[in-house]
Amino acid sequence: MKNDFFVKENIPILLCIAADVIQLGALVMYCVTGKTEFTAELSSFVIAFGSVTVLLGICSILLKLFSWGKKWVEVGLCVAALFGLLTFLFYIVNEVNYIANILVSIDGTKISVTFALTVLLYLISWIMMLVAAITCKYKPKENCYETGK
């Protein structure tokens, strides 16, 4: 029995699966540890964009697995990469008071492990989704403009 799933064409999907798992982990970590003395409430933008990123990744995986349209897989991965970047940026904006307090260091606040890990997970997830979108190449039929098909 030959396993053809780990071939060059499926590298974007494997990266997308890994990015979705990492994004989901970062989202759960943010929901559990996101409320601190510097952040009064969780950001709905971070949760919404993170959830949409995971859902777009899952939709792209399903489109690829069931061969429903390679063009839409590429579009889904590109939009998921964009939303992953927005999730990361909204997280940084939401934690700006904490970051400012660390930089000023008036009360001796240092970078917490959960903050650093959440930032790294969001960043790694975004980079992996971006690489998945870049490596997923849509190639239309050759000479489709000349033949009219």
Side-chain angles (χ1 to χ4, degrees), residues 30 34-43 94-95 97:
Y30 173 67
K35 290 176 84 173
T36 63
E37 60 269 7
F38 301 105
T39 309
E41 60 185 30
L42 297 176
S43 171
N94 189 49
E95 297 291 329
N97 288 336

Side-chain angles (χ1 to χ4, degrees), residues 91 111-121:
Y91 178 71
I111 295 178
S112 68
V113 175
T114 56
F115 173 75
L117 194 57
T118 306
V119 167
L120 283 175
L121 288 176

Side-chain angles (χ1 to χ4, degrees), residues 11 17 21 24 26 39 43-44 64 66 70 80 82 88 94 98 102 106 113 120 128 145 147:
I11 289 175
I17 291 170
V21 169
L24 201 57
T39 309
S43 171
S44 59
K64 173 71 174 172
F66 293 114
K70 189 171 181 181
L82 175 67
F88 171 72
N94 189 49
Y98 179 67
I102 290 170
I106 293 173
V113 175
L120 283 175
M128 288 179 79
Y145 294 110
T147 60

Side-chain angles (χ1 to χ4, degrees), residues 9-147:
E9 293 84 28
N10 290 333
I11 289 175
I13 297 305
L14 295 173
L15 286 171
C16 182
I17 291 170
D20 277 347
V21 169
I22 293 171
Q23 178 84 313
L24 201 57
L27 209 56
V28 168
M29 184 177 290
Y30 173 67
C31 289
V32 171
T33 64
K35 290 176 84 173
T36 63
E37 60 269 7
F38 301 105
T39 309
E41 60 185 30
L42 297 176
S43 171
S44 59
F45 289 114
V46 174
I47 295 170
F49 279 97
S51 301
V52 170
T53 302
V54 172
L55 289 175
L56 281 170
I58 290 171
C59 289
S60 297
I61 292 167
L62 292 175
L63 285 172
K64 173 71 174 172
L65 289 179
F66 293 114
S67 300
W68 288 334
K70 189 171 181 181
K71 180 181 178 183
W72 293 110
V73 173
E74 183 179 349
V75 170
L77 289 175
C78 289
V79 173
L82 175 67
F83 278 20
L85 174 63
L86 288 173
T87 304
F88 171 72
L89 292 176
F90 279 128
Y91 178 71
I92 295 297
V93 167
N94 189 49
E95 297 291 329
V96 72
N97 288 336
Y98 179 67
I99 295 169
N101 201 345
I102 290 170
L103 293 176
V104 174
S105 188
I106 293 173
D107 58 355
T109 303
K110 296 182 180 173
I111 295 178
S112 68
V113 175
T114 56
F115 173 75
L117 194 57
T118 306
V119 167
L120 283 175
L121 288 176
Y122 277 133
L123 195 59
I124 290 169
S125 172
W126 169 63
I127 290 171
M128 288 179 79
M129 193 66 79
L130 182 64
V131 170
I134 290 171
T135 57
C136 183
K137 298 175 185 169
Y138 171 69
K139 295 180 183 175
K141 295 178 187 176
E142 291 184 27
N143 300 324
C144 63
Y145 294 110
E146 294 173 8
T147 60

